[in-house]
Amino acid sequence: MTRIDRKFAALKAEGKKAFVAYVMAGDPDYDTSLEIIKGLPGAGVDIIEMGMPFTDPMADGPTIQLAGQRALDGGQTLEKTLAMAREFRKGNDETPIVMMGYYNPIYNRGVPKFLEDAKAAGIDGLIVVDLPPEEDAELCIPAAKAGLNFIRLATPTTDDKRLPKVLQNTSGFLYYVSITGITGAAAPQAIDVAPEVARIKAQTDLPVVVGFGIRTPEAAEQIAGIADGAVVGSAIVKLIEEQRPLDEILAYVKSLADGAHRA
């Protein structure tokens, strides 16, 4: 079992839903970003999604695009992102970390080396949004052999014919993108998302967490209530962009986590 598997098992035993928080590694700079990431578990975050900055983030809206650009401008690299995970692990060996991003930096490093380095750094899972199931041999299957979960995204356009293909090598959890479009766009409505989550859960035993567009504790509670957890990214990244104090960022994260945990 990975840390992700253990986390979901523990939450299920407690009758709780998961709260997943996304931040861009290196935004606004290495030291501040590391401080934020280290503070997330204490704010109630169950799983940390750590963005890998990339020059062409096609699935991301303006907020996360700008975060990636700030990180790159500050000198953030894949090596520094792995170093951040290693530093986090010195004080926390429990909270799962998922690296989320695009295939190009991984390909550039070389898949075997990347997987070895990621595992050694304490990474638990990968979300690589531009690798479809048809390319599973490229990274997904090697990642599973290395002991890393490969987490796939499903969307409102993933129909019943496509869904089994999406699920076949997915592990850890399935990330359901609640809206059509980019990150940070329209807010999802639980009444619309619930049937889709039920449809997916009829085909898999994996936990299903829902993200894109969640900004309030109430929305986190409603979405977590019809799924196995909620993900928030852009709303947190926006506070980092606004250079809010660390305690203010973490207080906001805690309010969202509390909402999800009330579900």
Side-chain angles (χ1 to χ4, degrees):
M1 289 180 81
T2 65
R3 287 185 187 90
I4 295 169
D5 299 328
R6 290 196 295 271
K7 175 58 72 174
F8 276 107
L11 287 167
K12 188 175 182 180
E14 294 174 39
K16 289 172 70 176
K17 304 298 180 73
F19 180 68
V20 184
Y22 171 98
V23 291
M24 179 66 72
D27 175 36
D29 57 69
Y30 181 93
D31 291 337
T32 305
S33 182
L34 180 58
E35 200 174 2
I36 292 166
I37 289 169
K38 284 181 173 180
L40 293 177
V45 173
D46 298 301
I47 298 172
I48 297 168
E49 271 185 33
M50 196 161 64
M52 298 183 280
F54 179 53
T55 51
D56 187 22
M58 62 184 183
D60 293 309
T63 299
I64 289 178
Q65 284 186 31
L66 288 168
Q69 196 57 56
R70 287 192 299 272
L72 292 169
D73 290 346
Q76 188 73 9
T77 60
L78 180 54
E79 179 54 47
K80 286 185 176 180
T81 302
L82 291 167
M84 197 172 278
R86 288 194 295 270
E87 195 62 33
F88 175 86
R89 284 281 173 242
K90 290 179 183 177
N92 183 314
D93 196 45
E94 296 299 319
T95 304
I97 300 175
V98 175
M99 287 181 77
M100 183 172 186
Y102 300 84
Y103 185 46
N104 186 283
I106 297 169
Y107 177 81
N108 190 50
R109 193 179 187 87
V111 167
K113 179 168 173 53
F114 169 76
L115 292 174
E116 181 183 347
D117 293 346
K119 186 72 176 172
I123 300 297
D124 304 290
L126 303 172
I127 299 175
V128 182
V129 297
D130 54 348
L131 275 183
E134 287 74 15
E135 306 294 338
D136 275 358
E138 193 82 17
L139 181 63
C140 173
I141 292 168
K145 288 178 180 174
L148 295 168
N149 291 128
F150 197 89
I151 296 141
R152 191 82 69 191
L153 277 67
T155 75
T157 59
T158 307
D159 61 20
D160 287 335
K161 184 178 178 182
R162 180 65 173 168
L163 186 57
K165 187 76 173 173
V166 169
L167 290 169
Q168 69 180 4
N169 291 313
T170 301
S171 63
F173 61 91
L174 184 85
Y175 187 141
Y176 181 69
V177 177
S178 59
I179 54 169
T180 51
I182 50 175
T183 57
Q189 300 298 317
I191 194 168
D192 299 324
V193 176
E196 291 299 298
V197 172
R199 180 173 68 90
I200 294 165
K201 290 183 77 66
Q203 294 200 37
T204 182
D205 293 329
L206 286 171
V208 178
V209 301
V210 177
F212 280 46
I214 300 169
R215 297 184 184 86
T216 66
E218 294 74 24
E221 181 177 2
Q222 289 166 6
I223 292 297
I226 52 92
D228 297 297
V231 187
V232 178
S234 294
I236 299 168
V237 172
K238 189 68 179 174
L239 296 188
I240 297 170
E241 177 186 336
E242 293 169 358
Q243 300 183 338
R244 302 289 186 91
L246 177 64
D247 58 352
E248 189 177 328
I249 294 168
L250 294 179
Y252 174 63
V253 172
K254 186 177 186 305
S255 73
L256 296 166
D258 288 348
H261 291 151
R262 280 196 300 269

